[in-house]
Amino acid sequence: MTMANTTASQTEAPVFYLKEEHHPQNGTMLGFWLYLMSDCLIFAILFATHGVLGRNYAAGPSPADLFDLELVAINTSMLLFSSITYGFAMLAMEKGSIKGTQMWLAITGLFGIAFVGLELYEFHHLWHIGATPMRSGFLSSFYTLVATHGLHVTFGIIWLVTLMVQVGKRGLVPENKRRLMCLSLFWHFLDVIWIGVFSVVYLLGVLG
Amino acid sequence: MSTHSHAHDDHHGHDHGDGASHGTFNSYLIGFILSVILTAIPFWLVMDGVLDSKVATAAWIMGLGVVQIVVHMVYFLHMNTKSEGGWNMLALIFTLVIVAIAIAGSLWVMYHLNTNMMPQMDHEMIRSFG
């Protein structure tokens, strides 16, 4: 059948081009990728801001005074675990297992909540000892960058719970699969951004 | 699987189910193990102060970070030159160029601005104090 189609499209040139243009998913995945790239630009600007302001302590605390790298390492592992468990959710989805997909999504969500929880704990601790965004240029850019990432993860968790409900109600229909694939890109993309955050903000910051 | 096959069984439907490439259990596991290693090394370098040179440590952190981003792109985001007819990769390359210009440009301009502004600011401060 594929052979027949190929020969048919080769004899009629316009049809050949039409078939190339026609794409499954109506371009949603490409569109979502473009959204992620624009999101990437937001983070790039926040990274650039932190790069410029990151050493302006205004006689206040420096990263070495503030950051607990063990906490950051635990936080990083939470996000890493959530990445592979989301991968398992996608594998369960491909097998057509509703229960499996929901279970792995739930585990992913718990890791995400743990990540946001640890980050809020860190912010609360910093705030408590007087390291507020108003304290110095370094802290302003630190909170803006890290909280923007944390906010993305929070919205990712809300999206994830929404999809768990939708998969429960309608099953693994094509629409839900497409949404799960979009969230997959979103979730793994946030992990990529976090690599930049822990490398540049925390590790390079503490290094001084 | 039968629910979506009607949409595009006319071309490459057998290849990858939904028009995008998926990972397998092994590819996710490989990606995860590589990520753990690539995360652990920079944390270890900084937390245990392994290298004497700060510049060398910073270079390792950035280098390993870039490698880990590539690992995530390949094993988790399933980036390749063929997905969405190459448009994914083209958008990514375009974004990377913009990101490089934005970050490197900001740091470059602001560093020189700082250097050029400093003496004058000192001078004004001295004057205002004197």
Side-chain angles (χ1 to χ4, degrees), chain A residues 79-91:
Chain A
L79 217 51
L80 258 183
F81 278 123
S82 81
S83 259
I84 190 170
T85 55
Y86 200 101
F88 292 156
M90 294 299 285
L91 294 179

Side-chain angles (χ1 to χ4, degrees), chain A residues 5 29-30 56 67 98 102 112 126 130 133 140 143 168 170 178 184 194 199 201 204:
Chain A
N5 267 355
M29 299 316 291
L30 175 60
N56 298 357
F67 296 151
I98 293 176
Q102 284 189 313
L126 292 180
S140 300
Y143 277 103
R170 311 230 179 262
R178 190 187 63 218
S184 169
W194 183 253
S199 299
V201 176
L204 286 187

Side-chain angles (χ1 to χ4, degrees), chain A residues 124-180:
Chain A
H124 176 261
H125 168 71
L126 292 180
W127 208 286
H128 188 68
I129 60 174
T132 62
M134 299 76 90
R135 183 64 191 81
S136 64
F138 149 64
L139 283 165
S140 300
S141 61
F142 162 76
Y143 277 103
T144 313
L145 172 55
V146 179
T148 302
H149 177 269
L151 211 58
H152 274 76
V153 177
T154 309
F155 281 113
I157 294 168
I158 295 171
W159 188 1
L160 187 142
V161 173
T162 312
L163 283 185
M164 279 175 69
V165 174
Q166 282 190 323
V167 168
K169 277 195 162 177
R170 311 230 179 262
L172 291 169
V173 294
E175 289 79 9
N176 277 343
K177 286 189 172 189
R178 190 187 63 218
R179 290 163 190 157
L180 283 167

